[in-house]
């Protein structure tokens, strides 16, 4: 306040008088810098920090529908945590989440990389095919879920009918057998994730200088050797990004599973994501839902740290 | 050289200061926007009803009814429709921000949860009468003896059958479990199944299991009793016979209806809300009957379904009284009849139901079934959702290979250890 009144009260500026005071200029620069950062900080605190802290607190509270009226949610220590950890369903969901994430990532990445490498060659219709492969990415998750549910229907689904006409087993219980359902859900998710992996990896491949391949060809290196010694190492930063982003979006899966199987049959496709949803919004036990949500955040945080580590060593 | 610093300095300073102020202003705006909504001003003549009428037809019927009632009472009634699964959570969020609508239409199985939290006003204190409303339907809208929800119409499940297929095969409409099993087996042919029902992992499946569980004398408070095991074994037997599709465990009630309409099922268990869709296919000749019972002469007890109109506690007694009058109007005999004729559901009011029966005799079986129907939450209240989840998991395990007994024993454990 005082500084501004001083400046304002100063007479019409003449070149000599307004010679910058170095201390004040530095302060002003610092204020300006924080001014630019402030909206981002406020935004982060409001929309990320606050919900995060609330979620952690909520997992230690007895939070029920009544809380919405009274605002009272008594702390109950680790009651929510112990009841969730004792629930058989939690163990199952954790295991399913791991299998789902690992399976999806592996499938998406391998097929995505293979397609990306394939499309670096020049051939007719390359562009058209590449854009066609993007289609699964454009379809909203819930829509793909519903369409795939129809395709995978045991009796009337297109897939079984097709397999039947080929003389193969046309009675595969894709979504109706507890032993198959998780695998089917993973396959659908791989289908959804391929375009993302392909596009990013394709971009990475474009960055690799062509001369390296020419040199390798002159040295008479076979294709596999070229791929292992040139493509993979130079693609590493991009691979890290793809895998970490893929992990983040896969581990919290909810919409696809709800649309495909609703967590069934017999809880065979229940993951941490669906469990949080079920606890919080079906059973309205928000404390238990928060516990599972926190576990999910924790798992993601571990991977975020790995990611940051990997990036830092890249930078050096 | 000398001219430069003085010219440059003020400009730079001015720009940065302006930038700082504008960014600060943006920050304030962002924060402000995030905090509004807490103090929502209510318009004195506009009343809001939150419901789940997201289908175009239902939305239109409701809008028309609200316009008529609004005109009669000299207020404007606005409709806010959200997907059925979101009514409860949305209402809870609105309760915590003190911006509840004046009327909420809950699914009757959800109403106890909201009532237990202390969020609803006793409709009798608002002057609503329950004269002409059958005892069962008054209970349906009540929680612990207090009448919180006025039903306009109710529904339940019935056995829908394809008349042409049954006639062609020369079989009678089944009335007992043995007959149903026999008929379903006879009608299963090629790609067509004898019967379709939903055993999906959501409330749909549980809703469809209750008529089998209850008619067999089973009860939701004792899931591993021999009666419930018997009901589940009956479902397993239908599946083993090949009369039910193996996809049954993945079907919702809408999927069941699709299969029936496509001719992939000769009979189905479903509710009157499908009639509108069924009637779009002119070549399909369907009729309905009561759901078969274990032994001849036993009661066919189905689940009572439907929504109830409630008045949330907003603290403004004047508005709550007017909201009560709007509910009374929407649930009046005349409006009930209009709504029931549109939606094919059974009017809650006895007099309206009698008129409705005369107007749509083909749905007579439904009216009988409603008269004997039971509410899912009558015994467990807000505890129903936990039991429902345990039961879903149990019948899916049993239908995919486990023994009914083991599956239901686990369900009972899960239901009692929960909470």
């Amino acid at each position: 306040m005082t500084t501004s009144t001083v400046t304002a009260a100063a007479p019409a500026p003449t070149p000599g008088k307004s010679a910058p005071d170095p201390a004040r200029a530095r302060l002003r620069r610092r204020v300006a810098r924080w001014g630019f950062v402030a909206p981002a900080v406020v935004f982060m605190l409001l929309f990320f920090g606050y919900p995060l802290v609330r979620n952690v607190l909520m997992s230690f509270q007895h939070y029920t529908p009544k809380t919405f009226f009274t605002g009272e949610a008594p702390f109950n220590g680790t009651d929510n945590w112990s009841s969730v950890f004792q629930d058989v369903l939690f163990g199952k969901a954790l295991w399913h989440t791991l299998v789902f994430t690992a399976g999806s990532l592996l499938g998406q990445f391998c097929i995505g990389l293979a397609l990306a490498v394939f499309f670096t060659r020049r051939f007719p219709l390359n562009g058209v095919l590449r854009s066609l492969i993007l289609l699964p990415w454009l379809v909203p998750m819930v829509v793909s879920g519903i369409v795939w549910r129809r395709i995978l229907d045991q009796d009337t689904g297109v897939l079984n009918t097709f397999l039947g006409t080929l003389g193969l087993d046309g009675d595969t219980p894709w979504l109706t057998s507890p032993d198959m359902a998780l695998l089917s859900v993973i396959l659908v998710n791989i289908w959804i994730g391929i375009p993302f992996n392909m596009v990013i990896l394709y971009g990475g491949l474009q960055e690799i200088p062509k001369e390296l391949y020419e040199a390798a060809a002159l040295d008479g290196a076979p294709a596999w050797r070229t791929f292992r010694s040139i493509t993979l190492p130079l693609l590493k930063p991009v691979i890290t990004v793809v895998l970490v982003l893929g992990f983040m979006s896969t581990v919290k899966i909810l919409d696809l599973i709800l649309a495909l199987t609703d967590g069934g049959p017999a809880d065979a496709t229940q993951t941490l994501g669906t469990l949080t949803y079920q606890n919080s919004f079906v059973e309205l036990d928000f404390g238990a839902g928060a516990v599972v949500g926190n576990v999910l955040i924790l798992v993601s945080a571990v991977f975020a740290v790995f990611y940051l580590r990997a990036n830092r060593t890249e930078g050096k | 050289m000398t001219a430069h610093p003085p010219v440059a300095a003020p400009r730079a300073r001015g720009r940065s200061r302006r930038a700082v102020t504008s960014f600060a202003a943006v920050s304030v705006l962002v924060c402000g926007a995030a905090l509004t909504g807490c103090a929502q001003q209510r318009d004195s003549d506009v009343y809001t009803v939150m419901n789940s009428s997201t289908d175009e037809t239902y939305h239109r019927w409701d809008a028309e009814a609200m316009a008529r009632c609004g005109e009669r009472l000299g207020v404007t009634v606005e409709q806010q429709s959200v997907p059925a699964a979101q009514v409860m959570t949305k209402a809870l969020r609105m309760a915590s921000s003190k911006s509840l609508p004046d009327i909420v239409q809950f699914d009757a199985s959800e109403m106890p949860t909201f009532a237990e939290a202390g969020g609803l006003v006793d409709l009798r204190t608002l002057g609503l009468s329950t004269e002409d409303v059958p005892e069962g339907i008054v209970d349906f809208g009540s929680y612990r003896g207090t009448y919180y929800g006025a039903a306009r119409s109710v529904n339940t499940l019935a056995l829908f059958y394809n008349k042409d297929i049954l006639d062609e095969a020369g079989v009678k409409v089944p009335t007992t479990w043995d007959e149903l099993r026999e008929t379903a087996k006879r009608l299963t042919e090629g790609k067509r199944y004898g019967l379709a029902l939903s055993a999906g992992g959501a409330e749909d499946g549980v809703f469809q299991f209750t008529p089998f569980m209850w008619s067999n004398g089973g009860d939701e408070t004792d899931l591993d009793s021999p009666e419930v095991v018997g009901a589940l074994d009956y479902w397993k037997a239908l599946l083993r016979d090949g009369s039910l599709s193996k996809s049954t465990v993945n079907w919702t009630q809408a999927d069941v209806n699709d299969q029936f309409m496509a001719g992939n099922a000769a009979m189905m268990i479903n509710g009157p809300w499908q009639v509108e869709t069924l009637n779009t296919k002119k070549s399909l000749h369907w009729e309905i009957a009561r759901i078969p019972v274990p032994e001849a002469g036993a009661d066919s007890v189905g689940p009572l379904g439907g929504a109830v109109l409630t008045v949330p506690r907003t603290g403004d007694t004047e508005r709550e009284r007017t909201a009560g009058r709007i509910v009374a109007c929407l649930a009046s005999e005349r409006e009930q009849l209009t709504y029931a004729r549109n939606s094919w559901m059974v009017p809650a009011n006895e007099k309206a139901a009698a008129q409705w029966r005369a107007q749509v005799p083909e749905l007579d079986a439904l009216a009988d079934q409603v008269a004997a129907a039971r509410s899912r939450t009558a015994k467990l209240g807000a505890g129903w959702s936990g039991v429902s989840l345990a039961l879903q998991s149990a019948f899916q395990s049993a239908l995919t290979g486990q023994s009914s007994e083991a599956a239901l024993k686990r369900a009972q454990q899960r239901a009692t250890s929960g909470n």
Side-chain angles (χ1 to χ4, degrees):
Chain A
M1 241 348 229
T2 39
T3 46
S4 67
T5 39
V6 169
T7 352
T14 55
K17 269 194 180 166
S18 72
D21 171 358
R24 201 187 298 163
R26 214 178 308 129
L27 179 77
R28 214 171 277 140
R29 260 207 307 280
R30 199 179 299 155
V31 169
R33 230 177 271 152
W34 279 108
F36 278 102
V37 176
V41 170
V42 169
F43 180 84
M44 292 289 282
L45 285 178
L46 210 64
F47 293 106
F48 291 93
Y50 175 73
L52 200 70
V53 172
R54 271 304 293 273
N55 205 47
V56 171
L57 283 179
M58 204 189 263
S59 67
F60 295 101
Q61 285 176 308
H62 186 61
Y63 207 102
T64 61
K66 214 175 229 157
T67 309
F68 288 91
F69 290 93
T70 58
E72 286 165 19
F75 283 93
N76 59 0
T78 53
D79 282 7
N80 294 329
W81 289 81
S82 58
S83 78
V84 165
F85 286 149
Q86 272 162 25
D87 190 355
V88 189
L89 206 53
F90 177 78
K92 263 191 181 179
L94 187 64
W95 172 243
H96 294 158
T97 310
L98 290 179
V99 174
F100 180 85
T101 311
S104 297
L105 281 187
L106 196 73
Q108 290 172 358
F109 177 75
C110 290
I111 302 178
L113 181 62
L115 283 172
V117 172
F118 175 67
F119 279 111
T120 50
R121 294 153 176 264
R122 284 169 184 276
F123 56 87
L125 292 183
N126 179 316
V128 178
L129 282 176
R130 226 173 341 125
S131 20
L132 276 181
I133 287 182
L134 286 185
L135 279 178
W137 206 5
L138 302 177
V139 182
M141 196 77 117
V142 177
V143 176
S144 359
I146 292 168
V147 171
W148 273 101
R149 204 160 72 93
R150 299 231 156 177
I151 295 176
L152 296 175
D153 189 283
Q154 192 174 350
D155 290 318
T156 53
V158 178
L159 186 59
N160 272 350
T161 315
F162 177 69
L163 288 177
T165 53
L166 288 184
L168 297 162
D169 181 15
D171 198 31
T172 314
W174 297 107
L175 296 173
T176 47
S177 146
D179 305 321
M180 277 294 285
L182 188 60
L183 178 69
S184 309
V185 175
I186 292 175
L187 289 177
V188 174
N189 193 47
I190 289 177
W191 176 83
I192 290 172
I194 288 172
F196 169 74
N197 280 262
M198 191 196 82
V199 166
I200 309 278
L201 292 171
Y202 181 80
L205 287 174
Q206 300 296 306
E207 294 292 303
I208 301 176
K210 296 280 170 289
E211 299 82 54
L212 291 175
Y213 289 106
E214 281 162 19
L218 282 178
D219 287 344
W224 172 242
R225 182 65 206 260
T226 315
F227 179 76
R228 219 185 45 188
S229 305
I230 298 178
T231 313
L232 272 188
L234 287 173
L235 206 55
K236 210 180 138 211
V238 181
I239 292 177
T240 328
V241 172
V242 165
L243 287 181
V244 170
L245 290 182
F247 176 84
M248 299 288 189
S249 60
T250 312
V251 79
K252 64 177 169 54
I253 190 80
L254 174 72
D255 36 9
L256 180 69
I257 293 189
L258 285 186
L260 276 174
T261 59
D262 238 324
D267 297 319
T269 52
Q270 210 63 269
T271 59
L272 292 182
T274 59
L275 198 60
T276 319
Y277 173 79
Q278 212 173 64
N279 280 334
S280 301
F281 299 116
V282 181
E283 283 199 83
L284 301 175
D285 184 351
F286 297 93
V291 171
V292 186
N294 284 331
V295 171
L296 212 49
I297 294 174
L298 227 69
V299 175
S300 302
V302 169
F303 274 80
V305 169
F306 274 132
Y307 173 65
L308 292 177
R309 270 274 164 81
N311 262 13
R312 202 163 46 199
T313 46
E314 290 308 328
K316 274 178 189 165
Chain B
M1 269 304 263
T2 38
H4 278 289
V7 176
R11 204 191 285 160
R13 204 194 309 151
R15 194 194 294 148
S16 71
R17 199 187 299 148
R18 225 177 300 135
V20 172
T21 19
S22 63
F23 268 88
V26 168
S27 313
V28 168
L29 271 179
V30 168
C31 303
L35 294 175
T36 50
C38 302
Q40 211 178 56
Q41 209 57 46
R42 286 171 205 275
D43 196 333
S44 62
D45 276 339
V46 180
Y47 287 76
T48 2
V49 180
M50 184 163 83
N51 60 19
S52 59
S53 307
T54 46
D55 281 358
E56 191 274 324
T57 43
Y58 283 81
H59 196 82
R60 180 158 39 84
W61 299 330
D62 272 335
E64 285 163 6
M66 284 168 200
R68 283 192 294 271
C69 285
E71 203 174 329
R72 206 172 307 162
L73 297 167
V75 292
T76 309
V77 185
E78 276 177 0
Q79 183 180 206
Q80 191 186 359
S81 301
V82 297
Q86 287 169 25
V87 174
M88 177 55 107
T89 45
K90 171 126 191 175
L92 285 174
R93 274 204 309 274
M94 291 171 102
S96 71
S97 63
K98 308 255 179 290
S99 58
L100 274 166
D102 300 284
I103 297 165
V104 180
Q105 178 177 316
F106 281 111
D107 185 88
S109 67
E110 290 187 322
M111 182 273 288
T113 307
F114 212 77
E116 195 192 58
L120 297 178
V121 181
D122 180 354
L123 290 184
R124 285 199 178 99
T125 63
L126 297 178
L128 263 86
S129 119
T130 50
E131 211 188 333
D132 298 333
V133 181
E135 189 70 29
I137 295 173
V138 173
D139 287 347
F140 180 65
S142 303
Y143 177 65
R144 299 213 169 130
T146 311
Y147 183 60
Y148 291 113
R152 281 188 288 175
S153 70
V154 286
N155 62 58
T156 189
L157 295 168
L159 181 74
F160 287 67
Y161 58 90
N162 186 320
K163 201 168 170 299
D164 295 341
I165 297 177
L166 263 74
D167 285 349
E168 201 182 307
V171 290
K172 278 200 308 195
V173 180
T175 56
T176 64
W177 279 10
D178 286 341
E179 284 173 23
L180 177 64
R181 200 173 157 188
E182 205 47 49
T183 313
K185 215 190 295 186
R186 273 191 63 182
L187 296 177
T188 302
E189 198 185 282
K191 280 197 71 179
R192 186 184 71 206
Y193 288 92
L195 180 67
L197 53 83
S198 157
E203 190 66 17
D204 274 21
V206 181
F207 197 62
Q208 297 233 326
F209 185 62
T210 50
F212 292 90
M213 171 167 87
W214 288 336
S215 300
N216 202 32
D219 194 272
E220 60 271 27
T221 54
D222 192 8
L223 294 178
D224 50 356
S225 71
E227 290 84 8
V228 186
V229 173
L232 189 46
D233 275 337
Y234 182 68
W235 266 20
K236 283 188 78 163
L238 289 171
L239 193 74
R240 209 171 37 240
D241 287 349
S243 306
L244 283 181
S245 161
K246 289 188 189 111
S247 305
T248 298
V249 291
N250 207 27
W251 281 348
T252 62
Q253 298 187 110
D255 293 328
V256 169
N257 194 50
D258 288 345
Q259 298 292 335
F260 182 74
M261 284 180 73
N264 292 333
M267 302 181 281
M268 69 166 174
I269 308 279
N270 226 323
W273 55 90
Q274 308 288 14
V275 172
E276 205 200 343
T277 319
L278 282 171
N279 283 346
T280 57
K281 193 173 173 185
K282 292 280 176 285
S283 61
L284 183 75
H285 302 114
W286 58 271
E287 278 183 14
I288 62 169
R290 301 179 70 166
I291 296 175
V293 287
E295 301 288 334
D299 279 335
S300 179
V301 189
L304 204 52
V308 290
L309 293 164
T310 64
V311 176
R313 204 178 281 282
T314 50
D316 184 340
T317 45
E318 197 49 50
R319 281 187 79 92
E320 284 172 3
R321 249 198 304 278
T322 312
R325 278 199 286 274
I326 297 173
V327 169
C329 172
L330 288 172
S332 66
E333 206 180 304
R334 185 150 40 122
E335 286 301 335
Q336 280 196 12
L337 199 61
T338 315
Y339 187 76
R341 265 209 314 267
N342 281 332
S343 65
W344 304 94
M345 296 192 203
V346 185
N349 182 297
E350 254 163 6
K351 288 182 185 161
Q355 286 186 51
W356 179 83
R357 262 184 204 246
Q359 287 170 2
V360 274
E362 68 269 27
L363 294 181
D364 225 22
L366 204 68
D368 290 341
Q369 189 96 48
V370 158
R374 221 171 101 176
S375 141
R376 281 163 290 165
T377 48
K379 288 198 173 170
L380 296 171
W384 170 259
S385 62
V387 169
S388 166
L389 285 174
L391 200 53
Q392 284 162 33
S393 178
F395 62 65
Q396 292 206 322
S397 303
L399 291 178
T400 52
Q402 235 193 359
S403 86
S404 305
E405 224 170 338
L408 285 166
K409 193 158 270 166
R410 235 207 8 256
Q412 180 62 24
Q413 275 168 7
R414 188 171 149 188
T416 42
S417 77
N419 305 320

